[in-house]
Amino acid sequence: MSPKQSEHVRLFIPGPVEVREEILEAQAEWMIGHRSSAFAELYARLQPKLQQTFYTTNPVYIYTSSGTGVWESASRCAVRDDRKILHLTCGAFSERWAEVSQLNGKQVDVLAVEWGQANRPEQLAEALHRSEYDAVAVVMNETSTGVMNPVAEYAEILKDYPDTLFLVDVVSCYAGVKIPTDEWGIDVCLTSTQKAFALPPGMAFGAVSPAVLERAKQVTNRGYYFDVLEIDRHHQKNNTPATPPIALMYAADRQLDDILAEGLENRFARHLKMQQMTHEWVRRAGFELFSEEGYHSPTVTNVRNTRGIDVSALNSFLKKRGMMISNGYGKLKDKAFRIAHMGDIQPEHLEELFAAMDEFLAQEG
Ligand SMILES: *Cc1c(COP(=O)(O)O)cnc(C)c1O
């Protein structure tokens, strides 16, 4: 018997995503003091599993914030006051990160493409040739458009610029596609819990390279809460500067075990399969993909609403069947809708969703 008060609605929205009952229950452990040895053990137990899933030997810090907090931390600590950061933008999240850098007093250059397109490696190469940057920031999987950027290609270019730190947001694709943090030379690789990680919201992770710590020492105003030097000092003792979300750490401990038990390669394959299923449905139902060919996200599909359906009516219909998808983000509202197939969503869940969506479309005529 589930003790929950509300009806279960399976979320096919790109965050917060569906969280399995086992994970919700893992949070219900007794609390421990965060300065106790039991906590240090929990913290230490998470590390190798986080490093394995990020494909890194760098420490993976735990942030008591959503992913936005790690944006702030990265923007603030990786860029000196009189230097610049280059943001590649292609949608709402990458644009907002650029704004975060600006609001933290950094000098920001932006390389933008139309929503639905991927950022061009050639543009990055040109920009780096023209000007010097302390850091380049990119969103690997732009959740608002359903585009996955060619981060491997950016990484290749950045190999010629060792003083330019590489900051990558993998919030909506972590563990859904391989992200070889060290091989790509990523200096800050960040994600939050409520998207591809498939945990409740409230915590974030950042795999941070030693070069970022060195850079941070040259930044005068790092603040406190998101200062990587302060975070690292506590990390050395398997601890955090302020009280962490212990319940979420229990959940992460369980989820990382489950991710590794599934096998990372199997998990990536499952996401690709769900992407294929979704693309097939899109074609079959007479819609089009919003994202540019060759750059479709494996974890979230943005569907151009070419049939002009009432997206809210579709969601009301789905809700009665215990499911929910997402309307288009911001300016794409009603012009597109999004189906998230990330985290612990399984192919059979998608079959159920598509059957219901077909039923809705049939009654619409
Ligand atoms: C949701 C999202 C964010 C913001 O993360 P929060 O955890 O909500 O702060 C950042 N980047 C991407 C790509 C996202 O999808």
Side-chain angles (χ1 to χ4, degrees):
M1 264 297 280
S2 164
K4 294 170 192 65
Q5 311 247 332
S6 52
E7 291 294 317
H8 177 204
V9 176
R10 194 179 300 285
L11 300 178
F12 295 92
I13 64 175
V17 302
E18 166 82 3
V19 176
R20 290 177 298 131
E21 197 129 30
E22 294 88 326
I23 298 299
L24 294 174
E25 277 159 14
Q27 295 180 99
E29 254 316 323
W30 296 109
M31 281 302 111
I32 51 177
H34 65 290
R35 305 299 183 211
S36 67
S37 59
F39 177 83
E41 278 162 33
L42 170 64
Y43 190 103
R45 194 158 70 238
L46 291 177
Q47 268 310 299
K49 295 187 277 194
L50 286 167
Q51 288 173 319
Q52 195 176 341
T53 54
F54 275 100
Y55 294 85
T56 188
T57 56
N58 290 333
V60 182
Y61 303 141
I62 291 175
Y63 296 74
T64 307
S65 71
S66 72
T68 304
V70 195
W71 278 352
E72 189 139 298
S73 179
S75 297
R76 191 149 183 174
C77 298
V79 186
R80 286 167 287 187
D81 306 332
D82 54 343
R83 306 297 171 91
K84 291 193 294 184
I85 178 168
L86 177 67
H87 278 267
L88 272 51
T89 69
C90 62
F93 290 101
S94 42
E95 285 170 10
R96 196 186 299 162
W97 191 4
E99 195 186 340
V100 166
S101 289
Q102 205 151 28
L103 291 170
N104 275 282
K106 305 298 177 180
Q107 298 177 49
V108 177
D109 279 355
V110 170
L111 281 181
V113 291
E114 287 288 308
W115 283 33
Q117 298 194 332
N119 289 108
R120 295 282 173 266
E122 310 84 71
Q123 284 190 323
L124 171 64
E126 268 170 43
L128 289 169
H129 191 69
R130 268 198 314 267
S131 194
E132 266 181 39
Y133 293 100
D134 259 5
V136 168
V138 306
V139 168
M140 180 160 175
N141 195 68
E142 180 47 82
T143 319
S144 63
T145 62
V147 164
M148 177 131 95
N149 276 311
V151 174
E153 293 176 49
Y154 309 152
E156 212 35 58
I157 294 163
L158 276 158
K159 288 213 164 102
D160 293 335
Y161 300 88
D163 295 331
T164 303
L165 298 174
F166 192 21
L167 319 177
V168 183
D169 167 328
V170 301
V171 169
S172 58
C173 64
Y174 159 86
V177 64
K178 186 170 179 182
I179 302 149
T181 300
D182 287 358
E183 191 187 315
W184 288 352
I186 300 175
D187 293 290
V188 177
C189 190
L190 71 101
T191 193
S192 47
T193 45
Q194 81 283 8
K195 301 223 178 136
F197 216 123
L199 297 173
M203 186 164 71
F205 302 96
V208 175
S209 77
V212 176
L213 302 183
E214 283 314 306
R215 176 65 53 74
K217 288 175 190 163
Q218 302 167 50
V219 176
T220 40
N221 186 0
R222 298 184 301 276
Y224 178 79
Y225 199 62
F226 294 117
D227 174 11
V228 288
L229 295 181
E230 193 61 26
I231 293 170
D232 186 69
R233 203 166 64 75
H234 284 83
H235 171 84
Q236 305 293 337
K237 300 178 286 185
N238 292 314
N239 217 308
T240 51
T243 317
I246 295 169
L248 273 170
M249 289 175 69
Y250 290 141
D253 194 25
R254 170 70 198 256
Q255 179 67 334
L256 285 162
D257 284 342
D258 291 352
I259 288 173
L260 294 171
E262 178 179 16
L264 285 165
E265 294 296 335
N266 292 336
R267 199 171 174 88
F268 305 152
R270 174 166 59 79
H271 280 88
L272 272 186
K273 180 180 175 183
M274 294 194 297
Q275 181 208 47
Q276 294 310 312
M277 287 173 69
T278 308
H279 288 190
E280 270 163 37
W281 177 84
V282 168
R283 274 190 287 274
R284 178 158 52 79
F287 292 102
E288 286 166 20
L289 296 171
F290 184 84
S291 45
E292 176 185 5
E293 196 55 44
Y295 301 97
H296 303 310
S297 162
T299 54
V300 56
T301 297
N302 199 15
V303 185
R304 204 183 281 280
N305 187 9
T306 39
R307 286 179 61 170
I309 60 162
D310 181 340
V311 179
S312 318
L314 168 61
N315 246 342
S316 307
F317 181 92
L318 290 174
K319 185 131 187 274
K320 292 194 202 102
R321 285 147 187 86
M323 293 177 271
M324 186 182 185
I325 62 156
S326 187
N327 207 322
Y329 193 102
K331 63 186 177 188
L332 296 180
K333 183 164 188 281
D334 298 322
K335 296 195 176 75
F337 56 89
R338 291 171 301 159
I339 301 166
H341 31 84
M342 65 176 76
D344 292 331
I345 291 289
Q346 301 295 325
E348 54 268 31
H349 299 143
L350 279 180
E351 273 165 21
E352 218 177 296
L353 174 71
F354 297 144
M357 288 177 51
D358 284 341
E359 209 185 310
F360 173 83
L361 293 172
Q363 76 166 31
E364 290 281 288

